[in-house]
Amino acid sequence: MKLFYINDIVSKTTIDGQIEISCWIKNKRTSGAITFLEIEDSTGSINAIAEKNILGDPSYNLLRKTPIESSVKIFGNLQADPHKETLWEIKIVHFDVINKATKQLSPSPRTLNDPFNKKYANQILNNRHLYIRNSKISSVIKIKHQMLIAIREWFNSNKFTEVDTPILTQSNLYDNNNTFNTDYFGTKAYLSQCAGLYLGAMVPALEKVYTITPAFRKESSKSPRHNPEFYHLKGQMAFYNLQETMKLVEDFIYHTVIFIDTNCSKDLSQLEININTKMYEPPYPVISYLDSIKLLKSNGINIKIGQSLNEKAEQCIADKYNKPTFIMNIPSEIEPFPYSLTDDKLFTKTADLLIPNGFGEILGIAEFIYDTEELKTRMKEKKKDPKENNLEWYTDLSKFGDVPKSGFGMGVERLLRAILKLPHIRDCYMFPRLYGRQPYP
Amino acid sequence: MKLFYINDIVSKTTIDGQIEISCWIKNKRTSGAITFLEIEDSTGSINAIAEKNILGDPSYNLLRKTPIESSVKIFGNLQADPHKETLWEIKIVHFDVINKATKQLSPSPRTLNDPFNKKYANQILNNRHLYIRNSKISSVIKIKHQMLIAIREWFNSNKFTEVDTPILTQSNLYDNNNTFNTDYFGTKAYLSQCAGLYLGAMVPALEKVYTITPAFRKESSKSPRHNPEFYHLKGQMAFYNLQETMKLVEDFIYHTVIFIDTNCSKDLSQLEININTKMYEPPYPVISYLDSIKLLKSNGINIKIGQSLNEKAEQCIADKYNKPTFIMNIPSEIEPFPYSLTDDKLFTKTADLLIPNGFGEILGIAEFIYDTEELKTRMKEKKKDPKENNLEWYTDLSKFGDVPKSGFGMGVERLLRAILKLPHIRDCYMFPRLYGRQPYP
């Protein structure tokens, strides 16, 4: 087991004896009888110096020939860092090779300074298993971890139960054209597009539920906000209406943003990011879908009532307010069957949350139909025959005392991308799955 | 929004004004001009009494005709419960129907006292969307939620990073015969059997990582511990050996058991379960695979060296110690390619953890090969050509300074089942997926 990490050294206030550290060589430069190393582990990096006259010829030559990315064990003494980059540097007195790197990659994973730059995208995606060693890439993952801690903390302390929902299903929320299919012991199953239907069944049992689960959409989109496999945060609450859910969403998003800003300072500075916490402070402006169409037209964007907003339209609206912005009452013809309709049946009791600066929609809210006849009519309208679509169980809910309820769904990585202002959704995954690429590695 | 829950009433110490509660009718009995209701929400149940002469004829008759499972809103006053089941009962002064149940199920979901009984299995699985309202079933889910809080708390406070691993993959740990397959935009993909390979790539970046993710095995098994879709807790740690990982596993399991015992008393008493915390206290006995074969033979169980232990064999060993028991050094011929071998190459540096009383294996530990030549030899032996099996990226790791490492994988629901002594793994899911059943609902 490894007992000391580079972070333990960096944060030392006094020199107290020899240190021993298992790590990787990040960078190396030799100047005659002196070799300067930058070594790295999961907690940070530090400079180390090897001198031929201290190590002796064989050991010094071995060190010189050990390439970057090799794993090594270094024994040494601390001395003040003359370059003041950190407090200390390590004067090496002995070193062992754990595993010598026999291949190299260019640019090298640990030294690449700009891993989100488009020009490296293919190289990084093809070698994702190695570029995750890049400290900026791993900082995103560390922040993602903290983001999920923040989200769970918020929901758990607000009396929600986190539940499991199945991936393999025969019941789709949307149509069956954008599903991944599989053979389930002789019968056809889909990979879940959305856990919302299943949460609906849990509402009469647990009242306030959420899940953070993989979701799948077989969509041929190369936009920087779409990918076929993503994490979906879904919540559903008995007796909540649309407005109450909008308030809930504001609260948990702001909590999450503040949590990251407070707890991830090291990784944020690694990424050279200042989070715009002020922007995420509630309340968020609300505009109706109808008013948004007027606003778009007055800004020269041509859109008809009943159409979905494209990315350009979303950006126009959110940028006007320069805050996360709710668009309320999306037309019923473009929303799926479970969502409640307004009195005139033309719109739904829904709200989409848009983030400014091109990050667009990250979250959608809806009230749900809980009346048997209303659901029947709406399913007919959306051509969702309960039997044909394996949704008889869902229609059962309304017959067994279902209640007024509301819920939301958020793309976990969409929020992360927006908070960290990352250029592409692919930067928010360890191993992203993207349209136009094999799911490899 | 609902402001008061039944639990708030039950825990009141004084009567202070009229109460108002949105809930479901669990049970109902009429005796002339008096109707006794048991009402329930996600926090508990309480008795309520309606009298004709208080409510008046029309309202009383409406209440009488409102069947169980209907959702209702009750207004009333508290009075001491004459049956002393709880402190209070509710004297109804007014009531509204939220949604009248138009169908009934027998036995009714909320009153069924024995939902884990085999004789109800089919009825419950066919109507899982309704039986999750049963308070014993929902207690299991509430405890599962707390179990995952405990697990995450342990790993987060021990400097692990929780990471995301993909479900859609082209790289299998085991063979390709027990995978669910899907078409990924024209190329074949599998649903992940195990996230372990991906964690391996993260070790040189983050050193200590874990994930809690769905995993899939297309196995035709009807045993009470197998199901094709389950939650897998996987961890992997740089510079850990087998023994250190066994110690880690003991620690987090004991932490989890104590956490549940401490924080879930209400749901445990709902389930009438006393957790055997003493049994889970480390250290756990260790027996080598070879010694376990001797032990089995002396107990009349016929098994040859090189065979996997069946359920009967596992039970025999764990019951002998009456503690969670590690079986160490499983033969190399039955373990997959990434696991390190012992010096004689006949066995692996592995340990499986068995739970007594028939719950069997819940977790496996392994050290991993990190040397290029060793990995090459072993993959040849296991007929895993890197190119054919889309594992070239995995073999890359050893060429880029991979390090000694160890990891484990646990069936989340297997631990839950063992702790709660549930008869079948299906009882640990909201919507279990089982061999021999359609994935419906």
Side-chain angles (χ1 to χ4, degrees), chain A residues 29 36 47 80-86 89:
Chain A
R29 179 171 61 82
F36 302 92
N47 293 323
D81 177 7
H83 311 292
K84 309 277 180 201
E85 284 171 25
T86 52
E89 61 178 17

Side-chain angles (χ1 to χ4, degrees), chain A residues 80-129:
Chain A
D81 177 7
H83 311 292
K84 309 277 180 201
E85 284 171 25
T86 52
L87 199 56
W88 311 108
E89 61 178 17
I90 301 171
K91 188 100 176 184
I92 301 175
V93 295
H94 180 73
F95 102 115
D96 291 334
V97 178
I98 298 171
N99 198 7
K100 185 178 166 179
T102 56
K103 277 177 85 173
Q104 291 293 317
L105 205 58
S106 176
S108 85
R110 293 183 190 272
T111 56
L112 176 61
N113 195 37
D114 194 8
F116 310 123
N117 190 316
K118 219 165 107 179
K119 72 177 176 184
Y120 300 119
N122 267 323
Q123 165 75 349
I124 290 179
L125 289 168
N126 292 338
N127 297 283
R128 193 74 188 167
H129 55 297

